[in-house]
Amino acid sequence: ALFAGACGSDDSDDQSAQEPAATATEDGGGEPQGDTGPVSEFFVQEDYDTQLAQRDIEPEGDPATPWLQMIEPEMADTSEYKAKNASGWNLCFSNAAVDNPWRQVGWNTMQHEVKLHKEIANFKAVDAEASDDKQISDIEELANGNCDALIVSPNTTKTLTPAVEAACEKVPVIVFDRGVDTDCPVTFVHPIGGYAFGVDGAEFLKENVDSGGKILALRILPGVDVLETRWSGAKVQFDDSDLNVVGVEFTDGDAAKTKSIVSDYLQREGQIDGVWMDAGATAVAAMEAFEDNGVDIPPFVGEDQNDFLTKWQEDGLNAIAPTYSNYQWRTAVLAAVKILKGEEVPKEWVLPQPAITQDTLADYVDPNMPPLHYALCGCEDMPGYPQDWGGK
Amino acid sequence: MAPLLAMKDIRKSFLGVEVLHGVSLECEAGEIHAVMGENGAGKSTLMKVLAGVYSPDGGTIELEGEQVSFSHPVQAQGAGVAIIFQEFNLLPDRTVAENVFVNREPTKRGLVDIRSMEQHTRELLEEVGVTHFGPRTLVRHLSTAQQQIVEIVKALSLDAKLLVLDEPTAALAEHEVEVLFALLRRLRERGLGMVYISHRLREIFTICDKITVLKDGELVGTVPTEGTDTNTLISMMVGRELDGYFPPRGTAEELGDVRLRATGIETSMLTGVDIEVRAGEIVGLAGLQGSGRTELARALFGADPISAGTIEVDGKKRGRGPRAGIGSGMGFITEDRKLEGLTLAQPIRDNVLLAVRSLGRSQRKRLPNTVSVQELARSVELKARSLEQEARFLSGGNQQKVVLAKWLATQPGVLIFDEPTRGVDVGAKAGIHDLMRGLARDGVAILMISSEMPELIGLADRILVMRNGELAGELPAGAAETEIMKLAAAEDHELEAA
Amino acid sequence: MSVSEPTKAAGTGGGDAPATPRRRSAWDDRKEAITNSPATPVYAALLGVFIIAWIVVTIDGGTFLTVSNIVNMLQRSVALGIVSAGQTVAILAGSLDLSVAFLISLSSLVTAEVMDGSDANIVPAVLAVLALGVVVGLGNGLIITKLRVNAFIATLGTALILQGLIQNRYDGPAGSIGEGFEQLGYTRFGIIPASVFLLVAVVALVYFLLRWTRFGFRLYAVGGDEEVSRLSGVRTHRVIIAAHVVCSVCAAITGLFLASRLGAGTPTVGTDGGYDLESIAAVVLGGTALAGGRGGVLGTIGGVFILAVLDNTFNQLEVNAFLKDVVRGVIIIAAVAVYARRSERRA
Amino acid sequence: MSATTPDAFETPVTSRSERVRKALVGTAPIFIVLFILLALIAIENPNFLEPPGFLAFLKRAAPLAILAAGQYFVIVSGEFDLSVGSIVTVVVVVAARLIDDDPSKTWPIIALLLAIGATVGVTNGLITTRLKVPSFITTLGMLLILSGAVFWWTGGAPRGALPDNFREIGRLGIQDFPVLEQLPWSVVILLVIGIGAILLMRASFGRRLMAVGDNESAARLSGVKVENMRTIAFVLSGLSAAVAGILLGGFAGVSAQVGQGLEFQAITAVVLGGVVLGGGRGTVLAAMAGALTLEALFTLLNLYGVSGALEDTVQGIIIIAAVAFASYRLRGAR
Ligand SMILES: Nc1ncnc2c1ncn2[C@@H]1O[C@H](COP(=O)(O)OP(=O)(O)OP(=O)(O)O)[C@@H](O)[C@H]1O
Ligand SMILES: Nc1ncnc2c1ncn2[C@@H]1O[C@H](COP(=O)(O)OP(=O)(O)OP(=O)(O)O)[C@@H](O)[C@H]1O
Ligand SMILES: [Mg+2]
Ligand SMILES: [Mg+2]
């Protein structure tokens, strides 16, 4: 989207996200209230409940290899997909894009995982460059090609569904990260999910920010389900809290813009007592905005991106890093291998999704890894680590 | 019955300068009516008024007794008046057929009927005897002469009652002219009325029935071709003391050494031109439209590359390109100041300084530091509110003076003027003439292209005449207009005869 | 007589006429039409790219010249092909349209919302989208001609306005399309995807507009020289406005198609595809002069196919998506440089 | 004044003041708009009037203003530069990867970054002027090439990090500066570049560049090296993009989106300043004022809490209106 950014500072707020900012400023903050507008169209109560429950369930499997763990798996037989020959497999992968650090780390890990499996003769990956239409064509092309199994990381849940359904007819399909509106894939690999992510952060702020405290919520962009669920989850928490959400803004994941927005709020509100983010990519930029305005950094919700963790540790901040387990990129490959071997896999492979807290911070932060590395890559044991991940 | 066309004391002025002071013209059906006069006499303007390109400031136009007034050429076409403008009016990237029928594409069941369009065009082309390009030829691939034919065919396709041709033969060779004439005669048989503008006397006598002469926007008179001879005609056109005053010529001892010497200049439009201009003299360059004067000027100045020949300034061979030309002390006042002379949106100051500023350090060395923009402006008698005024707000004459000042700023040794007073009113003309002579006195060598006979005769120390890209001959100061005309318009076989 | 002999004053021209006088036949005309067509070099280039791609992919052990692969390339060309066809018209008029990407997104949303999952609403949906196209096109055209705003700025402005409206109303995929309409995006007649026929239909229509209607002839005239056209009585403003309407309608149709493909409308489908600059690139790659007046829709489609072949090849070779952009950039510049030299030679 | 400079022809104060007056008249409209917007912001947010508040605004606007200045040179010479956004991205990403948090590398790499900007400019210029490719296409292609190349190199997203001494340039400033408390470096750089650009445009170079954009053939016949002038304009644009990139990288750190769409914002800003696409008209001061106006507009809409979406709509309408107004004035003048 060469042109998408062409259009000035597009805080692409939708009305629902905007109202609070307005109302909140009118009644000058102060008394506790947390109305953040109508419930998002993406909110599904039962998913919300399951995810919150799953946070407390002990995942099956060896904690040493979290990418193989699974929560409440209902195993499905896959013998029908068992490959004729024990090796020489063609594994195919339709990737939405490699346009952010999280995906870059994951994609890197995935390629290393593939190398670990001699059975996979060749691994054909196609990048859709974040275009739904292109990914649909890619999936068609791959499904009609000679793939033994097809891994899909959909660009958009709703719009990729038809293409994936079509592909299911031809090859065993493994979906991970964002989902699709169909259960035709053999397995759908994903961490607990967005609600849990959002709630982890919101709960942290509820505990660490005094009642009536002003919360600024920063989101990347609207319309992506994994992100929408994070916000709508947090929203539920905020709504029945006495925190005062003074604004919900979209940053497009652009650091400069994030920084500008935070400064604007600091000027407008005088102070911000807590920041919730639906992704940690621009967390550091947001923190800097506080520093540059000569204000202490309040309780902060980030993600397991290394620069955030490092800053957290060095400056001794009060923060939390919910995660969206990056090692799911490994799991997708592993699932494919199991399927082609005819071993059974869970219909829905739910991975653990730990939130990094003050206590566990030390285990995850690693000054030798690059700032944009993700702590939950699950790649530490792989050959080529850390150099291949840009570490020292 | 009423004549086909009757224009009654038409007036028209541009930017305050009146160029038509009440001109009348009548043309019967089945007659070829010549309109003659020097450059700037107002011929084209009169025709543009007729065609609805300009609306007249006064006067009336009647077609077959009906009073008409056109605000757009298309209305004129509708009324049966077709005009072939002096400047070509074609779309280079379109085919011949598309150009002929632009905006009048024939349709069948709502669709453009290319077949009939091309068929019709082909017929017309054959009618005028064209065999070497067809309806689908791109106009950009045609020579000027061929484009001329397309223009005529376009006019024919309008099956007009009145056809106006403004210097149609300017760019045509003799045999092409014959074809054209045959065609015009045929049209006359058909009862078409035609207004025919040309500088070529012989053509007029071969084909025209009546002749109307204009001078400085005034009607001199209309005479039948029979019983009129060349001399009467020329005296009608020129027959007045040459613009009154011209500055006294240079004397022999004022002549310095040769400052500009060109030998064997060849370009796509020029063949073997030799030319010499001495310090202190003004050499006039005469010729008809399309004879190649401008090409010569551009070649000398370095604006166009030359395929053969050498150009020396002050004895030194000059490098290629305008910069080298300017560096060696040349200046070029172009034919069209709006397109090639001025940066219209910039202040006078920047226009005046443009050339100096583009000089390299070394080249600037020879400039004394005394001249200021004001002094330059004063020396050319520029009339402007301030030096910060944008050039586009100046009158034609003053714009020309700005261009002049630009070149004076570079302290040139050789100046080439292409139509120095085109579009300049009589008063300003004299000023510019004085200036040119003054420069010559200061030892500048001047080459002056002009289509205005009085100017050439009155100002030039000697006159070179060009024809078809060659030098046709040289005439002494004050040569008679008839001689110049003869040389310029003489057809090849006449020369062989002579 | 031989008018073709270049007279001195005439200088250039006449050069390409045969030396010995002879009557020209209709065949000369046809030959001339072919050599003059700016599309000719494009298809030469396409052929070249195709063959190279074929060789490279085959060496790499992939399959290139298979029906399914070719069909896939066609499939991929549909969306870009339709927008570019429209963009061609705008550019031929000496204008250009930067607002297509957002119009596509908006159209996809309107389609999906009006259709709202039932084929019963196909007709209203299609009508609504076409109407949208007409309105936006009129807007662009009027701003450019009546307000005399440079086309670049005018359409950039419209783009922003559209983007605002979209983001103000939608925060994600919206609406859904009927089963039947989804067929447009997915069914195949034999091996040919239905959408390819849509592309063919649109291109044919535009080609027809340009080649057989008065509008087409005047479009070329205006793009070639607005002043001369005006003097010849062409209503230049109308032509430019009409050109933008055609362009926008094509963009709207692209939105329709993409909706059928995505099963819903999305606010980003247009920009993700980068259809604004991509379409302009395809048009110039197709030999149409950015200045207007020269070129045609066939060339454009050639350009689109060139891009499609590249895409496909890169996919097959699993070339990194970013390297792909590099190559595209180089190819676009190189192609236009070649065309520029070519037209210089012939001028 | 020596004979070797054209200033030998410059004239006394009288018309200097006239020139100044004209410049003011020419740039008046944009400054009025800018002033109104700033006033509105101040009303919404009083501490905008205090030095820190206003400096923060300038600091944020600096990169765009610098881009606008660079873009101005290209536009006034009659061309386009769509590649600046991608240059910014390249600069930030390259800096992050090459410096990779090693302060000692900062200055050499900054030199390299400027070199990159200049090189891209030269390339744009040569392709446009020598190969006769319309600059719209040249720079569009360059945009694809640059953004593609840099992420091909880093594998999709930025790597590495920017050390503090690099960040400072865009982030910090001269501490405890009288009155202002802190004078951001970016504001200093903006001022320097701004003044430099204005002087350059008033000097011989600027006047010739104007002439090129106004009437190419007249300029050529007057001995101006048209091709070189345009190429230099592209170089200036490339350099300013590099500087903007350094500032943006410093301001907010590494980010893949950093340069996205900046080319259109820069062109918009220049046009808002009343500079005419096609060349030959408008002042660099107005162009930079256009950038500030754009930035002020964003800030204001943010303060009003106007939905960011409608923000774009407003922006679109304003741009069209501005240009319509400009071309109306042009016609009116005729
Ligand atoms: N074959 C041609 N192709 C393109 N332009 C031509 C051609 N022949 C003549 N011209 C242009 O037509 C105009 C008239 O030709 P030219 O300049 O040679 O006549 P001239 O002797 O200068 O008379 P005038 O100065 O009255 O035009 C010039 O501008 C010339 O450049
Ligand atoms: N558009 C215009 N603006 C200003 N002055 C003009 C314009 N057109 C013509 N003139 C002036 O009007 C006068 C008559 O011009 P016109 O072209 O009618 O002369 P002409 O008789 O056709 O000369 P030629 O024989 O060179 O064609 C000239 O002084 C010319 O400079
Ligand atoms: Mg005339
Ligand atoms: Mg001439």
Side-chain angles (χ1 to χ4, degrees), chain B residues 144 269 288-295 335 418-419 422 451, chain C residues 9-12:
Chain B
T144 320
M269 298 183 202
L288 299 175
Q289 252 286 324
S291 58
R293 296 166 298 175
T294 298
E295 275 55 41
E335 188 174 14
D418 194 353
E419 308 290 358
R422 181 171 282 183
S451 308
Chain C
T12 70

Side-chain angles (χ1 to χ4, degrees), chain B residues 94-363:
Chain B
R94 304 285 83 211
T95 67
V96 171
E98 286 164 342
N99 267 281
V100 170
F101 285 95
V102 63
N103 208 48
R104 300 178 296 114
E105 302 85 2
T107 56
K108 198 158 62 186
R109 288 187 241 85
L111 303 188
V112 175
D113 184 352
I114 301 176
R115 281 214 168 292
S116 80
M117 194 168 92
E118 290 180 344
Q119 190 47 42
H120 195 152
T121 312
R122 189 176 285 108
E123 283 159 12
L124 289 165
L125 287 173
E126 279 164 9
E127 184 174 348
V128 303
V130 174
T131 53
H132 280 77
F133 64 93
R136 291 190 190 174
T137 311
L138 286 190
V139 165
R140 73 154 64 247
H141 295 167
L142 297 179
S143 69
T144 320
Q146 292 169 316
Q147 295 183 9
Q148 176 73 72
I149 300 284
V150 176
E151 289 267 14
I152 293 174
V153 166
K154 181 175 175 180
L156 288 182
S157 72
L158 290 156
D159 43 28
K161 288 191 255 107
L162 179 67
L163 178 59
V164 179
L165 305 109
D166 193 345
E167 304 195 25
T169 55
L172 297 197
E174 171 62 0
H175 52 280
E176 297 165 356
V177 175
E178 283 315 323
V179 176
L180 175 64
F181 282 2
L183 173 59
L184 295 188
R185 292 202 183 84
R186 234 175 298 148
L187 297 178
R188 174 164 53 190
E189 254 72 281
R190 284 203 209 157
L192 235 76
M194 278 166 277
V195 179
Y196 185 96
I197 299 177
S198 174
H199 293 286
R200 299 186 178 176
L201 290 159
R202 194 171 144 285
E203 292 178 357
I204 304 289
F205 285 105
T206 357
I207 190 156
C208 297
D209 310 306
K210 287 211 196 101
I211 306 172
T212 292
V213 178
L214 299 187
K215 188 171 68 191
D216 297 341
E218 307 265 8
L219 175 64
V220 178
T222 302
V223 293
T225 316
E226 300 92 45
T228 312
D229 60 26
T230 319
N231 297 345
T232 15
L233 203 55
I234 290 180
S235 61
M236 278 178 86
M237 289 166 57
V238 197
R240 48 110 170 72
E241 70 291 357
L242 291 175
D243 236 32
Y245 162 85
F246 273 99
R249 289 216 173 64
T251 58
E253 46 276 13
E254 278 175 337
L255 275 193
D257 7 347
V258 177
R259 299 203 76 165
L260 172 65
R261 172 183 286 114
T263 47
I265 303 299
E266 304 262 347
T267 75
S268 59
M269 298 183 202
L270 301 172
T271 38
V273 178
D274 304 341
I275 195 165
E276 262 187 21
V277 186
R278 301 176 157 278
E281 76 172 339
I282 300 179
V283 174
L285 191 56
L288 299 175
Q289 252 286 324
S291 58
R293 296 166 298 175
T294 298
E295 275 55 41
L296 177 56
R298 291 178 61 86
L300 290 172
F301 180 67
D304 293 340
I306 55 174
S307 46
T310 60
I311 304 171
E312 291 175 4
V313 179
D314 295 330
K316 286 190 296 299
K317 206 161 168 307
R318 54 151 298 180
R320 277 202 265 86
R323 283 181 62 78
I326 299 168
S328 64
M330 287 180 107
F332 180 29
I333 290 86
T334 55
E335 188 174 14
D336 184 330
R337 72 184 76 93
K338 281 197 172 66
L339 287 178
E340 299 177 320
L342 294 164
T343 53
L344 290 166
Q346 310 309 318
I348 295 171
R349 168 196 311 285
D350 293 324
N351 273 286
V352 172
L353 291 176
L354 186 55
V356 189
R357 282 171 163 160
S358 64
L359 288 178
R361 292 235 164 283
S362 54
Q363 298 174 316

Side-chain angles (χ1 to χ4, degrees), chain B residues 43-44 86 166-167:
Chain B
K43 309 180 292 292
S44 298
Q86 196 166 5
D166 193 345
E167 304 195 25

Side-chain angles (χ1 to χ4, degrees), chain D residues 89-290:
Chain D
T89 312
V90 167
V91 164
V92 173
V93 175
V94 168
R97 174 141 185 205
L98 290 189
I99 301 179
D100 199 7
D101 228 351
D102 171 358
S104 65
K105 293 204 193 126
T106 295
W107 291 105
I109 296 298
I110 284 184
L112 173 71
L113 298 177
L114 294 174
I116 292 178
T119 315
V120 174
V122 173
T123 321
N124 283 335
L126 292 181
I127 293 176
T128 305
T129 57
R130 309 290 171 180
L131 302 187
K132 307 263 183 302
V133 177
S135 53
F136 185 95
I137 301 300
T138 310
T139 53
L140 168 55
M142 186 57 75
L143 179 155
L144 288 171
I145 294 174
L146 291 177
S147 52
V150 73
F151 286 121
W152 176 35
W153 183 53
T154 62
R159 298 160 172 253
L162 294 171
D164 290 343
N165 64 344
F166 185 99
R167 296 290 313 277
E168 266 179 27
I169 305 168
R171 227 185 129 180
L172 306 176
I174 307 171
Q175 292 304 339
D176 37 65
F177 193 87
V179 200
L180 309 179
E181 294 169 21
Q182 184 216 52
L183 178 61
W185 290 117
S186 33
V187 176
V188 178
I189 295 174
L190 172 61
L191 289 177
V192 171
I193 290 185
I195 294 168
I198 292 172
L199 292 181
L200 189 55
M201 281 316 288
R202 292 169 106 282
S204 164
F205 170 81
R207 313 323 301 164
R208 279 181 286 151
L209 192 67
M210 274 283 196
V212 169
D214 188 347
N215 183 341
E216 184 174 337
S217 52
R220 186 173 278 112
L221 283 176
S222 305
V224 180
K225 292 179 180 168
V226 174
E227 286 72 19
N228 300 13
M229 297 301 279
R230 288 213 167 109
T231 308
I232 295 173
F234 276 106
V235 172
L236 291 172
S237 174
L239 278 172
S240 70
V243 174
I246 294 170
L247 292 186
L248 279 168
F251 176 63
V254 195
S255 144
Q257 288 89 333
V258 60
Q260 208 172 65
L262 279 182
E263 59 276 358
F264 289 96
Q265 277 190 46
I267 293 175
T268 306
V270 173
V271 170
L272 266 182
V275 180
V276 179
L277 292 182
R281 287 200 173 80
T283 72
V284 67
L285 184 60
M288 295 170 85

